[in-house]
Amino acid sequence: MVHVYNCHPFSSQQIVQVEQEPGLVCCGGGALFVVATGGCKVDAYSVEKEGCPLICRFATMGTVKSIQHSKIGDYLVTIEEKNSAIYLRAYTNWRYQAEEKARVGVRLLGHLLRGASMRGGVQMEIIEMPLSERPVAVSCCSVTGDLLVGCENTLILFTLRRQNQQSLNQQNLPSMGPNTQQTSSQSQGQTSISNQNLSILDFERSVILHLPKIKPKQVALCGGYVAVRGELEVLVLKLDASSEPKTLEESSDTNNEDHLEGQSDFLFLPRHQELLGDRAKDCDIPVSIEKTGLEDRGQYTLSYVLFRRFTPDFSQGCSVQETQLHSLQLYPLFTSKQSVSLEEPACVFCFFSLPTVGYLYSLKGGVELLSAYQYPEKVLEAVLTDHLLHVITKSALQCFTVRCAAVAARIEDPYIDTTMKACPPCSLEVCALRMQLFIGLRSVCVYGRHVVLLSTADTETPEETERNTHRRGLELKEHTMLTGIFLAVGIDPATTPALESLLSRPFLSRKWTISSVRETSSTGHGWNIYVVDTVSPLALYQEMVEYSQRYAETNPQGQSLRHLLSEAHLLLRASLLRTSEQENTEDDPDVSLQTNADKPAEKQTAAQTDSQELEEALRQNCAQLGDSFSRGSQKDCHLALPYYRMSGLSVTEVMARNHPLPSSPHSYGPGFLFYLVHYLLEETEQSLSQEAADQVIDIFSQSEPSQLVSVCASPSMINLSPARTLRILQHLEDTAGVSVPLTITMATMMLLLDDLPQYTQLMERHAEMLLVYGFIEESKLLLHGGGGGQHTHIRPTALTRQMAKSQPGLLVAAMVALHENNKVQLEQADYIFKELGYENCLLVDFWEAMLMASSQEAVIQELLFRLTSVYIDRLMNTNSDTHPNLQHTTSRRRSLKSAEDLINSCSHYGALYPWLTVLSPVHTTSFQHQEALHKLQVNEML
């Protein structure tokens, strides 16, 4: 399903004035390259400047049949024809042909000839690449600048080599000028200094791939991924350099091919296939690697990544032309956490298209079909970019949204799809934006925000018109004849729709072949080249927001509103994922013609400003998505939490954006309640005001009364009104019944009101063990903080301080239970008792109680050591200044556990020696001294 929104992605357009009818166009390096129909001349126009002025013009050595530009190296590669021979050539330093009078050097790859570029000047060079087969298609890698050439049944990879002037001088090549460090002439020194950083490009034939069962029609190369498109199939391979040789097992099913070739009277159609990942090796297309012998750095290994084959369904009225593939593209995407110099993109996507359906796959980290684009009419070409997919029909240019940013966001940030951050899923349905009408579109190419279109009004030559008329006549005659044959045998095709559809097909009297793409007519008129500028992502986002307000007014909980907000979110993410350095690399080619030295600083400042605006827009979008999910269904309500967090809104601002549902005045959206509960359960230092805290109590008393105990125990609710909250809790008890956590919470409210008799009455309502279970269920009634680990700041509550005075045994038992249930750590419990600041030995009582309950050997040994030092200190009747975890251990009251209790209930204490009563009579020693001596003696650590 494809959503359609009336958002305009285009801002302006202009017509490029060229001298001759264009036959081929391509974009790159800030330039538009136009090749005249049947000509041998290339004109380069600037798409960055208004009016698209001519940059340079140069002649080719043959008639250009195909042309591509490489961003890395800023070179052009062409397939040319001359004297019925096909050549592959690369053009470097083409920008220096502004006046078409500069010198031109011609050489074979690997041969650096003597020329002006070696002596200090700069000239355009034409590098010819000999091939044993006719080149059919070429592709330049946008990551490394390497070149992939597709021939009849082979793929040849040429690696881009770059050498500067200084390194060539060190090689003592005879054609090179003197080194700047060795020359004594001032003029020679100036020449060498000005050119020592000049890069000289060359290519090296690296590997040859043999594909005997597929005839390449189009190829693509990106970061080691190799894609080849045949007539009905697409194959994607991963080419890796390895130190160990590895060969693929070639398919032995060669007899089938010979057998099929001999059966000329039958038509065999391969079955439809989609093989992803490791399953792709099960396709029937073997690939073998041929070593070129030009390098010894290692061996190449291949792995299958993706295979997709389409088969026309003639029974459903599908023709071969409707299954013809086009627009194969491998697209890399870097993220802001990557360096520009890295040759490994974070994501690599593969796109290819049928006339009616386009397919976008993600290749890295597992092959996955991201989107299937259902076109409203037949599409001629398509180009994938970061933000949009641009497609052309005969009469329109249209844009579809893409899911590349959703994949890259999950690779870049591990916290995506958690309670901290969120991003729309990769499986989100795509949408089509408003189309722009043209007449007779032929081709499309994209550079940055510029979409270049070639159109011509003459969509059909007179010869083709006559040929089509004759063809339609033959089809009618054929249909009439076959219908008569069926009627003669008693079968009426009109009563059988499937038979009628079969007879209407034009393939019965012809072989199953695919018509080649018709070349541009040299006699046509009415052609135009358009440069259509797309709006900035921020402007398109604002238009999407305005468009989404219409959905919000009619159906605020509808899927269309959420879908459009998600599209806007991905649009902003795609812009933020790219660094300013990467954008500058795209905007400026390797050979820069800038004259303003301050331009990079201005670009950097502008990029920083744009980034800040995009981040602010993203926060606004996250707030809008949070609003949408807060009112949504129970299925997706949890997404309100991460989106609200990403928006940077405070909890008070979020509450102001959410109101009770119109259908129920006392009910709030499930997503909003989910966000509010998680915010209150978090350990934050922010406290709500009394007004906000009372509002939170009202919200949960109306919508989620069962959460009131947890809400009241939250550290953020410390400023709530105790009297008002107590009335709500008493009403909850009357309706829902008595529970231990609820009773403790009501006792806490009484304590805040300084009503100690009522507090005591409530705390005595349940047995001590039940109260301990209540504290286990809601530990925040005793402790605030500590959610971040051992060293997180933790503090006692008012209830804890009161229990230390009136119910020390209950407090110790509760702390032991919390420790054993992993609600508090030992060091945090020690800190709590130290914070209480009373000389009543609660900390020692806690350690002794821990010995009786704990089963962790490490904790037991630590506690035995601590208690031994305490007992010794008590015998010496001194304060424990030597123990950092204990202060003022001497107390007038008895310990909660006596020596006899420890002996009877704890296996870590041994038996009491009888002679201790003689050594330390009761009438001559204090009770604390005698108790410490007994506990020290029975301590097994001694």
Side-chain angles (χ1 to χ4, degrees), residues 119 165 169 176-196:
R119 296 192 300 268
Q165 182 75 24
N169 290 334
M176 302 299 295
N179 194 301
T180 58
Q181 298 178 356
Q182 299 175 354
T183 182
S184 59
S185 171
Q186 183 177 2
S187 60
Q188 289 178 343
Q190 293 175 351
T191 302
S192 298
I193 292 173
S194 62
N195 293 283
Q196 61 182 355

Side-chain angles (χ1 to χ4, degrees), residues 831-846:
Y831 180 81
I832 288 293
F833 286 108
K834 290 174 60 179
E835 278 288 305
L836 295 176
Y838 296 104
E839 298 180 0
N840 55 8
C841 298
L842 280 182
L843 181 55
V844 179
D845 293 334
F846 169 70

Side-chain angles (χ1 to χ4, degrees), residues 516-549:
S516 60
V517 180
R518 178 175 55 87
E519 296 183 358
T520 306
S521 172
S522 59
T523 60
H525 300 282
W527 48 263
N528 284 303
I529 296 179
Y530 298 93
V531 176
V532 183
D533 293 340
T534 58
V535 299
S536 65
L538 188 60
L540 184 56
Y541 159 76
Q542 293 170 349
E543 187 173 355
M544 286 183 171
V545 171
E546 294 176 0
Y547 195 78
S548 65
Q549 292 175 354

Side-chain angles (χ1 to χ4, degrees), residues 808 812 833 837-848 867 870 874 886-897 928 935:
V812 170
F833 286 108
Y838 296 104
E839 298 180 0
N840 55 8
C841 298
L842 280 182
L843 181 55
V844 179
D845 293 334
F846 169 70
W847 290 345
E848 291 175 345
L867 288 171
V870 170
R874 286 181 177 179
L886 189 63
Q887 294 179 0
H888 307 297
T889 59
T890 304
S891 174
R892 295 190 180 94
R893 75 157 183 87
R894 292 190 177 187
S895 300
L896 295 176
K897 301 295 180 181
Q928 289 84 0
K935 290 181 179 180

Side-chain angles (χ1 to χ4, degrees), residues 777-937:
E777 184 176 345
E778 193 55 65
S779 61
K780 288 185 175 61
L781 291 170
L782 286 179
L783 309 174
H784 283 170
Q790 175 177 340
H791 302 288
T792 304
H793 179 66
I794 191 169
R795 59 191 184 277
T797 63
L799 179 62
T800 305
R801 297 185 183 276
Q802 178 60 33
M803 288 173 59
K805 298 178 184 178
S806 59
Q807 296 173 290
L810 176 60
L811 177 60
V812 170
M815 294 298 294
V816 171
L818 292 180
H819 179 274
E820 292 303 302
N821 286 274
N822 298 321
K823 296 296 183 68
V824 67
Q825 299 184 24
L826 183 61
E827 297 298 332
Q828 293 175 338
D830 293 348
Y831 180 81
I832 288 293
F833 286 108
K834 290 174 60 179
E835 278 288 305
L836 295 176
Y838 296 104
E839 298 180 0
N840 55 8
C841 298
L842 280 182
L843 181 55
V844 179
D845 293 334
F846 169 70
W847 290 345
E848 291 175 345
M850 280 292 300
L851 278 178
M852 300 171 62
S854 179
S855 59
Q856 304 177 29
E857 188 62 29
V859 174
I860 292 171
Q861 294 301 320
E862 174 66 20
L863 292 175
L864 287 173
F865 176 78
R866 294 181 183 182
L867 288 171
T868 300
S869 63
V870 170
Y871 299 151
I872 295 174
D873 181 74
R874 286 181 177 179
L875 287 174
M876 298 175 63
N877 197 21
T878 59
N879 293 334
S880 180
D881 297 332
T882 59
H883 201 283
N885 294 322
L886 189 63
Q887 294 179 0
H888 307 297
T889 59
T890 304
S891 174
R892 295 190 180 94
R893 75 157 183 87
R894 292 190 177 187
S895 300
L896 295 176
K897 301 295 180 181
S898 64
E900 184 178 356
D901 295 334
L902 295 176
I903 294 172
N904 294 333
S905 59
C906 183
S907 61
H908 307 292
Y909 287 89
L912 184 64
Y913 297 139
W915 52 265
L916 281 178
T917 58
V918 179
L919 180 65
S920 179
V922 177
H923 63 277
T924 60
T925 59
S926 65
F927 173 79
Q928 289 84 0
H929 186 278
Q930 187 179 28
E931 192 73 14
L933 179 61
H934 291 178
K935 290 181 179 180
L936 179 63
Q937 184 266 311

